[in-house]
Amino acid sequence: MAGAASALFLLDIKGRVLIWRDYRGDVSAVQAERFFTKLIEKDGDPQSQDPVVYDSGVSYMFIQHNNVYLMAASRQNCNAASILLFLHRLVDVFKHYFEELEEESLRDNFVVVYELLDEIMDFGFPQFTEAKILSEFIKTDAYRMEVTQRPPMAVTNAVSWRSEGIRYKKNEVFLDVVESVNILVNSNGQIIRSDVVGALKMRTYLSGMPECKLGLNDRVLLEAQGRTTKGKAIDLDDTKFHQCVRLARFENDRTISFIPPDGSFDLMTYRLSTQVHLMF
């Protein structure tokens, strides 16, 4: 992204700073007070509840989870969407360690929180947010922290979402397609707009570093190969892939090639702009 975050703040529901980490030295704890003041000013206007607040040369990007505000402040022209995504991934990391992210869990585990903040962001740039890999070298038990831990290879590997040395007696892959239908109907019962939003949810229990391939009855691919679609092909819109998917391979031959993470994950989400028949 173009710019970087200057500092990361964890605030309680009243705007008091619980924990904060300064990454670039160009903001202070005073910015957290200014942020909350601006937030209170906009509280009465439902049209202005934006996740980004700008004041006096500082951009504040924030999300709220339970009774905690997660806020990143930056003096640079950074990518707000990337920072907001990073904050959501940070919530997932905290939930992995503490079961639930609340003010009490942060106060009880502030040492681990500071260690996590040091690992997941460097000089204001997000680095690593895979909770399963972080838990291999940041331990919550104090006696395990005394042992010198080597960072797992996944931290420096190109495949950062999967550890090496995984072994299963039985290799299994489960793939579920979950779709939801959105329909807008006028007063005369005519369909104005309809689409299908779907997700490919996978559970993988595979040994080593397996490379998986998945083919779709994609209209673009079938027409490129000169094959007749016969009404079975689909037009995928707004596709979003997990980071394990090789995007260059997909752009080249529309094949989904990937080395999957261990366990459950969403391989891809998509939208189909298709005419849906009324079910009622």
Side-chain angles (χ1 to χ4, degrees):
M1 55 186 175
S6 299
L8 189 64
F9 296 86
L10 302 177
L11 314 173
D12 65 10
I13 200 67
K14 296 182 179 180
R16 293 172 298 196
V17 177
L18 299 173
I19 295 174
W20 76 291
R21 179 69 168 83
D22 184 10
Y23 291 104
R24 302 181 70 88
D26 54 359
V27 300
S28 64
V30 177
Q31 264 67 38
E33 300 178 5
R34 293 182 179 177
F35 156 74
F36 202 73
T37 301
K38 297 290 291 186
L39 193 64
I40 294 176
E41 292 175 358
K42 301 173 65 174
D43 190 41
D45 184 7
Q47 300 296 326
S48 62
Q49 293 302 304
D50 302 324
V52 180
V53 178
Y54 181 80
D55 179 60
S56 303
V58 180
S59 299
Y60 305 95
M61 294 140 286
F62 72 97
I63 62 174
Q64 182 181 2
H65 184 82
N66 293 334
N67 57 356
V68 176
Y69 286 101
L70 295 89
M71 184 266 289
S74 176
R75 288 191 179 275
Q76 299 188 14
N77 183 21
C78 63
N79 188 327
S82 296
I83 295 294
L84 292 172
L85 176 60
F86 168 77
L87 294 178
H88 283 286
R89 295 295 297 270
L90 183 58
V91 170
D92 294 337
V93 171
F94 286 151
K95 290 173 67 175
H96 175 81
Y97 273 84
F98 315 137
E99 297 296 333
E100 189 54 66
L101 174 57
E102 294 181 353
E103 177 183 347
E104 183 179 356
S105 62
L106 291 176
R107 292 184 183 275
D108 292 342
N109 299 280
F110 69 94
V111 174
V112 180
V113 172
Y114 274 114
E115 291 199 29
L116 289 171
L117 295 182
D118 286 337
E119 293 294 338
I120 63 179
M121 182 171 276
D122 184 22
F123 201 56
F125 294 98
Q127 296 294 310
F128 200 77
T129 56
E130 289 291 335
K132 291 183 179 179
I133 307 300
L134 285 168
S135 61
E136 293 186 17
F137 63 99
I138 296 182
K139 309 293 185 179
T140 54
D141 296 327
Y143 73 93
R144 299 175 71 176
M145 290 293 295
E146 296 176 359
V147 181
T148 302
Q149 298 287 339
R150 289 187 59 192
M153 290 298 295
V155 175
T156 54
N157 276 357
V159 186
S160 61
W161 53 87
R162 184 180 180 90
S163 300
E164 296 182 352
I166 298 176
R167 292 289 180 268
Y168 287 102
K169 293 183 178 179
K170 184 178 181 181
N171 291 320
E172 296 178 308
V173 175
F174 300 91
L175 176 62
D176 294 318
V177 181
V178 181
E179 293 184 337
S180 59
V181 181
N182 301 319
I183 301 178
L184 180 62
V185 184
N186 63 13
S187 58
N188 298 324
Q190 296 176 333
I191 299 178
I192 300 177
R193 187 177 69 250
S194 64
D195 57 26
V196 177
V197 179
L200 296 184
K201 297 182 177 292
M202 293 193 71
R203 283 184 297 148
T204 59
Y205 306 100
L206 302 173
S207 302
M209 286 287 187
E211 180 167 348
C212 303
K213 295 181 181 179
L214 181 66
L216 302 174
N217 52 336
D218 185 13
R219 188 185 303 275
V220 177
L221 173 62
L222 296 179
E223 291 178 353
Q225 295 176 345
R227 297 160 57 185
T228 57
T229 59
K230 297 181 180 180
K232 295 182 180 180
I234 57 176
D235 293 316
L236 294 176
D237 298 322
D238 299 338
T239 54
K240 176 185 175 184
F241 294 103
H242 188 274
Q243 61 175 328
C244 67
V245 176
R246 292 187 171 92
L247 297 180
R249 178 73 182 274
F250 179 77
E251 292 292 337
N252 185 38
D253 59 10
R254 310 294 285 188
T255 299
I256 303 176
S257 177
F258 58 99
I259 298 177
D262 188 45
S264 303
F265 68 101
D266 288 351
L267 179 63
M268 68 173 291
T269 58
Y270 59 88
R271 181 174 59 86
L272 300 177
S273 299
T274 181
Q275 187 67 29
V276 178
H277 296 289
L278 282 177
M279 295 166 287
F280 48 88

